[in-house]
Amino acid sequence: MADEEVKQEAESTETPETQTESQTESQTESQTESQTQTEEKPECQENSTEQTEAPAEEPKELTPEEKIAELEKENADLKDQLLRRAADFDNYRKRMIKEKQETFDYANANLLADLLESLDNFDRTVEASATATDVKTIVDGIKMVKGSLVQMLENKYGLASYAVEGDEFDPDIHEAIGRVEEEGIEKETLKQIYLKGYKLKDKVIRNAKVMVSVPKK
């Protein structure tokens, strides 16, 4: 009995500070246990999520009939593409043939349009010659039309005539229709021009027909 009384007296004699420290330690232990439970909870949730995830389905293998149907569809698509491209190419080929033919048919349209003015001038000259009393007037009119025509062909189309008496003979651009031996010359030269040659820019489109003088042996 004496021991119990001593114990009670000791408990009753504890200071408020000692009681506060005891309460603080009790609260800290409670919070630590709560945090531990909170940290363990996500792990449980993760395990639960992994268990609830459905397994991935394996790709379904096609039956022979389905494979055949798929190949037939692919073959039909390729055939359709081939037919379309063949049709496009055929239309392109026909269009190119048509354009080429039109180019050939109307290649000289610009030239002929430019020649119309010269034709009109020739018509006026012919009409004037019916009542003209002076031959020189008619000749002058013809020379004027010729000069206008030559100038248009040279300036606009690059057409130029060549071959003048005394030029050196060149078999590449001259066509000799006869030869005459002459003394005092060292090279073959053009003695007479029967028909002028013409060049379209740098290309000969008609050789000149000439009589050639050759050195006398």
Side-chain angles (χ1 to χ4, degrees):
M1 291 293 290
D3 292 338
E4 291 180 357
E5 291 177 356
V6 172
K7 185 177 180 181
Q8 290 177 355
E9 289 178 0
E11 289 177 353
S12 61
T13 56
E14 288 180 357
T15 62
E17 293 178 357
T18 305
Q19 293 178 357
T20 303
E21 290 178 358
S22 177
Q23 292 176 357
T24 303
E25 289 178 358
S26 176
Q27 292 176 356
T28 303
E29 291 177 359
S30 177
Q31 291 177 357
T32 303
E33 291 178 357
S34 176
Q35 290 177 357
T36 304
Q37 292 176 358
T38 304
E39 290 176 354
E40 291 177 353
K41 189 174 181 180
E43 295 181 358
C44 296
Q45 290 178 350
E46 290 178 359
N47 295 334
S48 176
T49 304
E50 291 177 356
Q51 292 177 0
T52 57
E53 285 182 355
E57 295 184 0
E58 296 182 358
K60 184 180 179 182
E61 185 176 355
L62 299 176
T63 63
E65 291 78 7
E66 290 175 338
K67 290 181 179 180
I68 293 173
E70 186 175 348
L71 291 174
E72 287 179 348
K73 182 178 180 301
E74 184 178 354
N75 182 50
D77 292 341
L78 292 174
K79 185 177 180 180
D80 181 67
Q81 292 179 15
L82 179 62
L83 292 175
R84 288 176 182 274
R85 293 192 178 186
D88 292 340
F89 178 77
D90 187 58
N91 292 334
Y92 172 78
R93 182 181 61 83
K94 291 179 179 179
R95 186 170 65 254
M96 289 297 101
I97 292 174
K98 182 179 179 181
E99 291 179 359
K100 183 178 180 181
Q101 186 62 40
E102 289 179 351
T103 301
F104 178 80
D105 292 340
Y106 302 103
N108 298 322
N110 293 334
L111 173 61
L112 295 175
D114 291 332
L115 289 175
L116 293 178
E117 183 178 356
S118 297
L119 290 176
D120 293 337
N121 292 333
F122 274 118
D123 289 338
R124 296 188 188 96
T125 302
V126 172
E127 292 175 359
S129 64
T131 57
T133 57
D134 186 3
V135 176
K136 186 177 181 302
T137 302
I138 300 174
V139 173
D140 291 341
I142 294 174
K143 288 182 178 180
M144 182 185 67
V145 175
K146 177 190 173 184
S148 176
L149 176 60
V150 170
Q151 184 178 7
M152 182 270 294
L153 293 174
E154 288 180 350
N155 296 337
K156 194 167 184 177
Y157 294 94
L159 183 69
S161 62
Y162 69 90
V164 179
E165 293 181 5
D167 288 348
E168 183 177 350
F169 176 72
D170 184 350
D172 292 332
I173 62 175
H174 299 133
E175 180 182 348
I177 61 175
R179 284 181 168 79
V180 178
E181 290 185 353
E182 289 190 9
E183 295 181 356
I185 60 174
E186 298 179 355
K187 298 180 180 179
E188 294 183 346
T189 57
L190 305 184
K191 181 178 179 61
Q192 188 176 357
I193 310 301
Y194 288 97
L195 196 62
K196 285 184 177 181
Y198 283 93
K199 291 181 180 180
L200 182 58
K201 297 183 179 179
D202 294 331
K203 182 179 179 181
V204 176
I205 61 175
R206 190 180 77 180
N207 290 348
K209 295 184 178 181
V210 297
M211 177 67 70
V212 182
S213 298
V214 299
K216 189 173 183 179
K217 297 180 180 179

